[in-house]
Amino acid sequence: MPNITEIAHHAKEKASKLGIKKFDIYGSTIDETSVQVDQGEPKQVKASNRSGVTVRVWNEENTMGVTSTTDVDPKGLELALKTAYEASFFGVKENVPDFSPEATVLIPNTHQEKLPQAPVNDLINSLLAAEKELLAAHEAIKGVPYNGLAQRDIDRFYLNSDGATRTESRSLASIYLYSKTEEDGKKPRSGSAFRIERSLNNLDIQGCIQETAEKTVSHLNYQKIKSGKYRVVFSPNAFLSLLGGFSNLFNAQSILDNQSLSNADDLGKQIAAPLLSVYDDALHPGNVGAESFDGEGTPTRQVKLIENGVLTSFIHSAGTAKRMNTQPTGNANIGAKVSVSPNFYHVFAASSPGQELSLETAENVVLIDDLQALHAGVKPLQGSFSLPFDGWLVNKGVKTSIESATVAGDFLELLKSIIYVEKEVELSPGGVCPRVWVDQLSITGE
């Protein structure tokens, strides 16, 4: 992809030639290599270079057209600008998207240099070694059917006709391992783990192997669980999955579209136990893939969504912020329409709890490690959920794997039923979060 200066120069030149006075362009390119292995042999090696830009043009009547292309040479840009201009006459007349008022605000230098990519052989050998070690961890582990080791370089940019110019680059490496057991007369059991870092050299592959093995082995001696109400402890990953499933609660676009559990008047209301605080924090130190600006060029930032259980803020694009008389928050994605989504959750204990709870002393609590079938089991507009899960029944520190069960409830009631938020946080792909204790949730056994 040409550099940002060249793209900006060509875009302005072609826009002037076409008589276009107002436009913006957002683009990215991803150079990725990934490998998978199976029983000691490479299964799949993929290399890809994906790039694309989204061009928006406003006409004299201030309606907007959008087009996307992978071609950012002068001819490609000219065609994209022309197509978007023609489409602008069919654009919406109400609540027309506009430039972000913060697209030209100076961003502190958070630029990350791209790191050298490791040779493909290093990826394959690292993953083969990880698979071999995982298979040797316990005689019952017979396969690692899902695995992947990937590295990618990412470049992003945003520019507009008002002079905004933003660009950033970064490198990422990640590993995923999912192992499965086979034992005579027993159901297959599984466990998984994920790690992400800036480069292969820094990636905690050993930690990923160890976590996968421990989880898998801990599920070998499983038992049925009686249906009923239980005190439930959500792992960081499970709680973040649930939070993501009901993210419309904080989403300004969902609220304006009447597709949310909350409305504009809910700011300042107590929606969760005072123990809980939830931030959307794209620039959190734990966010390896941190982005310093969104699709509209707005700088990303820390947004306090829930503070001491009180709904404090929503996440915004420039358009939703204008309609709700506030500031954009750096959560916009541009495409055929502008959408809003969270960047990186930071969940933590807001205050000192009245009681300290521990799995070492708790009796008959359900520890949920991983929630499944979120696409089917979450009803985001009703607030209800019914989800299969992997987890354990914990009694005074002794963990017994649960054969098969679902957890069900109402998300808003769950937030108010939180009785303890642990201090120690863990990093997962969607954010940083501690274990969260909830009183009296319905567990249905087989």
Side-chain angles (χ1 to χ4, degrees):
M1 180 180 276
N3 67 44
I4 181 72
T5 309
E6 291 173 349
I7 293 172
H9 172 73
H10 293 318
K12 286 171 184 171
E13 187 180 78
K14 297 303 180 184
S16 176
K17 175 184 170 184
L18 294 166
I20 294 169
K21 293 184 177 147
K22 185 174 179 180
F23 68 89
D24 69 0
I25 302 174
Y26 170 79
S28 65
T29 180
I30 301 172
D31 186 12
E32 181 174 21
T33 309
S34 63
V35 299
Q36 292 179 337
V37 300
D38 184 29
Q39 299 294 334
E41 296 289 335
K43 179 183 177 184
Q44 186 169 273
V45 179
K46 287 199 300 187
S48 64
N49 186 287
R50 311 185 297 278
S51 61
V53 297
T54 298
V55 179
R56 303 192 296 179
V57 171
W58 287 258
N59 61 29
E60 299 76 11
E61 298 169 9
N62 201 38
T63 55
M64 186 199 75
V66 186
T67 191
S68 58
T69 180
T70 58
D71 189 358
V72 287
D73 64 16
K75 283 186 179 178
L77 282 173
E78 182 176 8
L79 181 59
L81 286 162
K82 184 179 178 185
T83 305
Y85 179 73
E86 290 169 352
S88 69
F89 293 96
F90 302 94
V92 295
K93 300 284 195 294
E94 295 180 357
N95 302 315
V96 180
D98 204 347
F99 290 164
S100 167
E102 298 187 15
T104 53
V105 171
L106 189 66
I107 297 177
N109 185 18
T110 57
H111 188 74
Q112 293 184 350
E113 293 297 329
K114 287 188 288 188
L115 301 175
Q117 289 207 355
V120 174
N121 269 348
D122 288 3
L123 298 182
I124 294 171
N125 291 334
S126 297
L127 194 55
L128 285 172
E131 182 196 43
K132 183 178 179 181
E133 190 171 337
L134 198 46
L135 289 171
H138 195 280
E139 58 185 12
I141 299 176
K142 299 298 184 187
V144 190
Y146 305 111
N147 60 73
L149 182 56
Q151 58 183 1
R152 58 190 71 86
D153 289 339
I154 303 168
D155 296 282
R156 302 169 64 240
F157 73 87
Y158 173 85
L159 61 89
N160 68 28
S161 52
D162 274 0
T165 305
R166 303 206 188 281
T167 181
E168 68 180 0
S169 304
R170 65 186 185 279
S171 297
L172 295 173
S174 60
I175 183 169
Y176 174 72
L177 297 171
Y178 176 101
S179 60
K180 207 166 185 180
T181 67
E182 288 179 18
E183 289 185 298
D184 289 341
K186 287 192 171 184
K187 293 180 179 179
R189 307 300 279 168
S190 61
S192 64
F194 175 85
R195 293 290 188 277
I196 186 168
E197 253 302 339
R198 289 198 61 210
S199 69
L200 181 65
N201 289 338
N202 298 327
L203 194 60
D204 183 16
I205 297 176
Q206 198 59 44
C208 193
I209 296 167
Q210 188 175 340
E211 184 183 341
T212 307
E214 286 176 358
K215 282 185 180 179
T216 308
V217 172
S218 72
H219 285 304
L220 288 176
N221 297 314
Y222 56 83
Q223 291 183 12
K224 295 181 186 294
I225 187 172
K226 289 181 180 178
S227 299
K229 296 273 190 179
Y230 288 83
R231 180 168 287 185
V232 172
V233 182
F234 287 96
S235 74
N237 188 53
F239 189 75
L240 288 174
S241 296
L242 210 50
L243 201 59
F246 293 99
S247 62
N248 67 31
L249 189 65
F250 320 111
N251 190 313
Q253 188 62 61
S254 299
I255 290 163
L256 290 167
D257 292 341
N258 294 318
Q259 299 290 306
S260 173
L261 289 174
S262 54
N263 59 61
D265 297 327
D266 285 342
L267 287 179
K269 285 187 180 177
Q270 190 87 27
I271 66 162
L275 298 168
L276 182 74
S277 283
V278 178
Y279 292 179
D280 179 58
D281 192 357
L283 302 178
H284 188 280
N287 187 10
V288 179
E291 296 180 343
S292 61
F293 60 90
D294 70 2
E296 296 179 314
T298 304
T300 55
R301 67 204 69 186
Q302 182 189 86
V303 184
K304 298 177 180 179
L305 302 174
I306 298 176
E307 187 91 67
N308 298 317
V310 175
L311 184 62
T312 311
S313 303
F314 300 132
I315 53 174
H316 287 278
S317 65
T320 64
K322 184 178 180 182
R323 291 172 66 184
M324 298 178 78
N325 196 28
T326 185
Q327 292 297 310
T329 58
N331 292 87
N333 311 293
I334 66 170
K337 62 178 286 188
V338 178
S339 61
V340 179
S341 62
N343 289 317
F344 187 84
Y345 285 119
H346 178 200
V347 180
F348 60 97
S351 57
S352 296
Q355 55 180 339
E356 295 274 347
L357 299 176
S358 167
L359 291 175
E360 294 303 315
T361 55
E363 297 181 15
N364 292 324
V365 298
V366 173
L367 172 58
I368 293 179
D369 179 53
D370 184 45
L371 293 168
Q372 298 156 5
L374 285 126
H375 63 287
V378 166
K379 307 292 184 219
L381 299 184
Q382 298 168 18
S384 62
F385 60 91
S386 179
L387 300 164
F389 67 87
D390 287 336
W392 305 269
L393 185 64
V394 185
N395 193 23
K396 294 183 179 177
V398 179
K399 293 161 68 174
T400 304
S401 179
I402 296 169
E403 179 180 348
S404 177
T406 59
V407 58
D410 178 271
F411 185 64
L412 292 176
E413 287 180 13
L414 179 151
L415 290 178
K416 290 180 177 176
S417 301
I418 292 171
I419 55 171
Y420 185 56
V421 179
E422 295 188 8
K423 293 186 181 115
E424 188 176 335
V425 298
E426 291 179 23
L427 174 67
S428 78
V432 290
C433 179
R435 287 194 291 222
V436 177
W437 294 58
V438 179
D439 217 15
Q440 299 298 301
L441 276 178
S442 293
I443 302 290
T444 305
E446 199 173 55

